Each structure stands twice: as structure tokens, then as C-alpha cells.
Amino acid sequence: MESVQAIKQRFGIIGNTTALNRAIEKAIQVAPTDISVLVTGESGVGKESIPKIIHQLSHRKHNKYIAVNCGAIPEGTIDSELFGHEKGAFTGATQTRSGYFEVADGGTIFLDEVGELPLTTQVRLLRVLENGEFLKVGSSKVQKTDVRIVAATNANMFEAINKEKFREDLYYRLSTVDIHLPPLRERQGDIHLLFRKFASDFALKYKMPTVKLTDNAIQVLLKHRWSGNIRQLRNIAEQVSVLEQNRTISADTLRGYLPTSGSNLPAVIKTAKTESDFSSEREILYKVLFDMKSDLNDLKKLTMELMKNGNVKDVEKDHEGLIQKIYGNSDETETNYQDTLTETEVISIPEHSNPHEDISSAQDKYHFAEEIEEEETLSLHDKELELIKKSLERHQGKRKLAAAELGISERTLYRKIKQYDL
Ligand SMILES: Nc1ncnc2c1ncn2[C@@H]1O[C@H](COP(=O)(O)OP(=O)(O)OP(=O)(O)O)[C@@H](O)[C@H]1O
Ligand SMILES: [Mg+2]
């Protein structure tokens, strides 16, 4: 049996933490059997190496290995991709076609993002797993195949089961052996090692000297959350390697490449998806727009108050909650908000002036902003309505949960329910 070290070398896997070694060891042990394996772990942790190791160390290694990204195939064609179809099974099926389960007979199929499989496909998959039988789409002739399945997911499968998006029986059938890869932040000993390896690879690729981190920069690297795990670390190593003239990288320079923690930017789409279960990226974008619109309204309110009142401290006191909602309350953002308020102070209205006159002239100045809002309102209202409806459905009408998911207060949700007559 090949050693864990030899496997790491053969498959280009860097790292030496116990959890990683244990995962590879499990893959080596399970490889010679036909047991189904489920590889779990956050996005970018390196799940894709595991099915390759399993296939290469199995008696199936001379037969086909097919990797299928279940999340990337449209729902309408996935059954046909996996199981094939008969001529005339649907419009456009001009010829009989073999699916992956027929082609990979004797080999291994890697079902990546298995949590994305439609329920109807899950039924077919369960049957293959149980007795090796399947039907081509549009056929009633049972076919046999001998395929080993390794699946992977970065989603919370128990949540998917609870929401009836994934069959529990299939989950247990797939995860006879579960191999879990830990997130990078739990592999402290590997972070700098991986960075050095990537930096040296990119130095070779781009024919430049290898970048080196100062001690402080190493500390920054170790403390970062790495929500995108090794994929993110690799991207940052590449950017630094290509863009930095000075090949010694300081903590400040490195920080410039790392997303600020606690950022509200929509970059962490996967987290948003699992946490609030918005089933498509489009929905997430609508939610971002919706949040932005709500922030804009809050800002308008605050600006108007500042113009009316003129005294920053009073407004700050009266609208503490609102300010915190817009600017958050971390140290970093607090500084930004202070900066913003100082700037606002410069344009504050003199106390002796007539506030009403000033407000109307200010409104004229910002007339363009109103126009933009008019234009966006129609479509945004539709999307907002759709989001609220879906969220309420998901939470069986429980307003508290829906409001938390939508990031608005229960009162605002109540107002919107009335407004849309829901
Ligand atoms: N231990 C490692 N050593 C070297 N490179 C690694 C390691 N783990 C992952 N990588 C690299 O990181 C990148 C992401 O890995 P991979 O595609 O396997 O992630 P994943 O877990 O499948 O993520 P997702 O759930 O998003 O598909 C790849 O380029 C891979 O080569
Ligand atoms: Mg992957």
C-alpha cells in the first residue's frame, strides 16, 4: 500500500496537518473496495484530489474515470447526460445516446456538487447505487452497469435533507464512507507552506524571483479567515507574485490583497447561499440590490436630518441605531463613518438660515437621484415582492425568520406585507 507521503507527492498535495493526512489515509484504505465515498468540506479545500486518488488506487484504474459537475448541467438534460437517452425521447433526440453510467462501466464516476442533483435524478441514482440498474431516458429496457461512485459537496447536506431537497436514503447510500477535508484556517501549519509552494510555482511560471513574506506578513497570512480556502490562497499568491516589484512582501502590502474581514460585499456568495438558501445567484443579486436600496433610503433619511438639524452630534445621538445599521459597528467601519461625518460637517447648513428653504433647494440639487429611483422602482419592487414572498414561504409565514433572512426589521417586513397586500 502506498504511503500517505507518496500519494501527496504523486497528486501534488501540499500540507502535513493531521486532518489532511487522515483524509488521505482514508482514501487509500477505501480505494480497493467498491464502497461509495462522500467527500465533504468548504469550497476550495481540495476535494477534487480525493476521487482521483481513490480511482487510481483501485482495480478500476485502467477503466474510465468521469468527473461530472452536477451543479453545472441544466436540470432538463442531466438525466440524459448521466443515463443516456433513446432516439426520439424528446425534441432534438435524433439519435440514441449513451450516458456516463454506461460509458464508465467498470470505472469510477465523480459526482461533484452532488447536492445540486434534481430530485428525479436522485431517484435514478439511488437505483444504480442499489442494484447497478438504470434506464435510458425514454426507454423501458433495464440496463446494468458496474460503476463506483465518489461524490463531493460543499453544502450542508443535513439542511438540504431537512428542506426535502435531498433524499435521506440517497445521502446514507452515498456516504458509506465520509472523507472530510478541513478548512484552511484549521490547518495553520500548512498555510505558509502552501503560500511558499504557490509563490515558487508562479515565480517559475512568470520567470521572476520568488516573493518572500516578512515575519509580520506571515502573521497576517496565518490570521486571515481564508473563506475561499486553498483556491483563494493560490489566487493571492499569484497576484502578489505578478504585481509586486519589491519581492519582499510586508504585512501592509499583503493586507492590500486580502478582502477586509466582515466585509458586506457580495463576494461570499456561497456562504449567502447556504445560510439564507437563496437558490440562485440571480436571487442573491436581487437581495444585494434590495439591501443597497434600503441602505440608500437610510442614508437619504440621515442626510436630510443633517441638513435640517445642522448639528452632527445631535443627529448622531438621535439616530444611533440607523447609523449603526448603515456603517456597522466594527472598529474599522466606525473610523470610516467618522470620516464621512466629518466631511458632512463641512457642508452643514448654518444655524441662522431658514431650514425649509435649504431643504427645498437641496432637494432640487438631488432631483436626479429621485429620477433614478423612479426608474428602478418598478422592477425592484417586483423583485422585492418576489423575495419577500419566497422568504415567507420558506419560513412558513414566520415573519421573524423571514425578516432575519431578508436583513430587515420585523416592522419593516410588516409594513411591506401591508404595502404589497400579501
Ligand atoms: N493540499 C493542496 N495542495 C496544493 N494545492 C491544493 C491543495 N488543495 C487544493 N489545492 C488547489 O486548490 C484549488 C481548489 O481545489 P479543489 O478544486 O479541489 O477545491 P474543491 O474543494 O473541489 O472546491 P469546490 O467545492 O469549490 O469545488 C485547486 O487549484 C487545487 O489544485
Ligand atoms: Mg470542486
Side-chain angles (χ1 to χ4, degrees):
M1 198 183 274
E2 269 185 271
S3 71
V4 172
Q5 284 310 325
I7 291 296
K8 281 199 263 191
Q9 217 159 20
R10 187 165 149 198
F11 290 87
I13 299 171
I14 312 294
N16 210 16
T17 37
T18 315
L20 175 72
N21 289 344
R22 181 73 200 110
I24 297 172
E25 205 173 82
K26 252 184 163 178
I28 298 173
Q29 284 170 332
V30 81
T33 70
D34 278 338
I35 295 174
S36 309
V37 176
L38 182 66
V39 189
T40 57
E42 289 180 14
S43 180
V45 290
K47 295 188 289 296
E48 274 162 50
S49 304
I50 302 290
K52 286 182 192 152
I53 297 174
I54 294 177
H55 178 71
Q56 283 304 325
L57 300 189
S58 75
H59 61 88
R60 299 169 177 269
K61 69 177 174 192
H62 298 298
N63 296 322
K64 282 220 156 38
Y65 169 80
I66 299 181
V68 187
N69 186 336
C70 304
I73 305 174
E75 195 167 331
T77 56
I78 194 151
D79 282 355
S80 146
E81 291 279 331
L82 293 175
F83 305 102
H85 62 247
E86 280 298 328
K87 183 176 173 180
F90 47 84
T91 326
T94 49
Q95 284 188 359
T96 298
R97 181 187 175 280
S98 301
Y100 300 139
F101 274 89
E102 191 171 340
V103 176
D105 194 6
T108 308
I109 290 187
F110 170 40
L111 294 176
D112 201 0
E113 296 192 35
V114 73
E116 302 287 317
L117 277 182
L119 282 164
T120 48
T121 315
Q122 291 178 30
V123 179
R124 285 176 182 266
L125 182 60
L126 189 63
R127 183 165 177 191
V128 181
L129 277 162
E130 266 167 1
N131 50 25
E133 287 178 0
F134 70 95
L135 297 172
K136 277 196 170 88
V137 176
S139 164
S140 51
K141 191 173 131 232
V142 176
Q143 287 183 244
K144 280 281 214 182
T145 188
D146 166 27
V147 171
R148 203 260 182 89
I149 307 277
V150 181
T153 181
N154 57 29
N156 182 340
M157 294 302 274
F158 291 112
E159 206 175 292
I161 291 169
N162 276 339
K163 290 187 173 149
E164 295 179 2
K165 285 187 180 159
F166 205 85
R167 291 180 66 110
E168 193 172 1
D169 46 5
L170 178 60
Y171 169 77
Y172 287 112
R173 194 67 187 71
L174 282 173
S175 60
T176 315
V177 168
D178 181 0
I179 297 185
H180 180 71
L181 287 170
L184 186 57
R185 62 186 162 278
E186 288 172 19
R187 293 170 53 185
Q188 284 285 303
D190 291 344
I191 300 178
H192 190 209
L193 190 69
L194 278 156
F195 184 90
R196 289 206 306 272
K197 168 74 171 88
F198 293 142
S200 125
D201 288 353
F202 290 122
L204 263 179
K205 183 172 172 190
Y206 298 114
K207 300 186 177 56
M208 291 162 114
T210 311
V211 289
K212 195 173 176 305
L213 300 178
T214 63
D215 288 349
N216 286 344
I218 295 174
Q219 289 311 311
V220 170
L221 198 75
L222 298 183
K223 281 191 192 128
H224 191 68
R225 200 173 179 276
W226 299 114
S227 43
N229 293 293
I230 299 167
R231 183 180 290 121
Q232 186 189 14
L233 179 69
R234 192 170 179 272
N235 286 347
I236 281 168
E238 181 165 25
Q239 288 174 37
V240 173
S241 300
V242 173
L243 298 175
E244 284 307 314
Q245 297 267 328
N246 184 346
R247 307 308 279 174
T248 302
I249 309 299
S250 70
D252 272 351
T253 308
L254 182 62
R255 268 193 214 102
Y257 287 89
L258 301 174
T260 41
S261 53
S263 155
N264 286 326
L265 290 175
V268 254
I269 277 180
K270 291 239 160 161
T271 319
K273 196 171 169 175
T274 30
E275 277 178 3
S276 60
D277 188 39
F278 288 104
S279 52
S280 75
E281 288 183 9
R282 208 170 49 145
E283 263 188 73
I284 294 165
L285 286 174
Y286 288 146
K287 173 155 165 48
V288 172
L289 276 176
F290 179 33
D291 287 348
M292 273 168 55
K293 190 175 165 241
S294 150
D295 276 356
L296 191 69
N297 285 336
D298 290 342
L299 277 168
K300 275 187 194 167
K301 194 170 160 193
L302 206 59
T303 314
M304 205 50 91
E305 280 299 319
L306 276 166
M307 287 194 292
K308 261 197 245 168
N309 191 312
N311 187 331
V312 174
K313 292 285 167 222
D314 281 355
V315 175
E316 202 179 335
K317 220 169 94 196
D318 293 348
H319 295 276
E320 211 175 327
L322 195 62
I323 291 170
Q324 218 169 60
K325 182 171 167 244
I326 307 170
Y327 295 98
N329 51 7
S330 74
D331 289 350
E332 207 171 304
T333 39
E334 214 155 278
T335 329
N336 291 344
Y337 128 61
Q338 286 296 352
D339 287 345
T340 324
L341 281 191
T342 321
E343 270 184 40
T344 321
E345 235 167 349
V346 180
I347 59 151
S348 69
I349 298 147
E351 268 173 29
H352 62 261
S353 67
N354 177 344
H356 298 291
E357 263 176 40
D358 286 321
I359 289 166
S360 56
S361 65
Q363 272 171 341
D364 282 344
K365 270 191 225 149
Y366 292 104
H367 184 62
F368 69 94
E370 293 304 322
E371 273 180 6
I372 293 171
E373 202 204 355
E374 281 289 320
E375 272 180 27
E376 80 179 9
T377 304
L378 259 181
S379 53
L380 215 51
H381 276 186
D382 288 350
K383 301 307 168 201
E384 188 180 76
L385 174 63
E386 196 181 318
L387 270 176
I388 291 173
K389 262 193 191 158
K390 281 196 174 165
S391 185
L392 283 167
E393 262 168 41
R394 260 195 294 272
H395 297 291
Q396 280 117 30
K398 287 187 191 117
R399 287 185 193 153
K400 196 168 177 179
L401 295 175
E405 181 178 68
L406 292 163
I408 56 178
S409 69
E410 262 186 275
R411 244 180 76 199
T412 310
L413 180 61
Y414 180 72
R415 199 163 42 76
K416 292 202 180 281
I417 290 172
K418 287 235 154 208
Q419 177 190 342
Y420 293 123
D421 206 15
L422 286 171

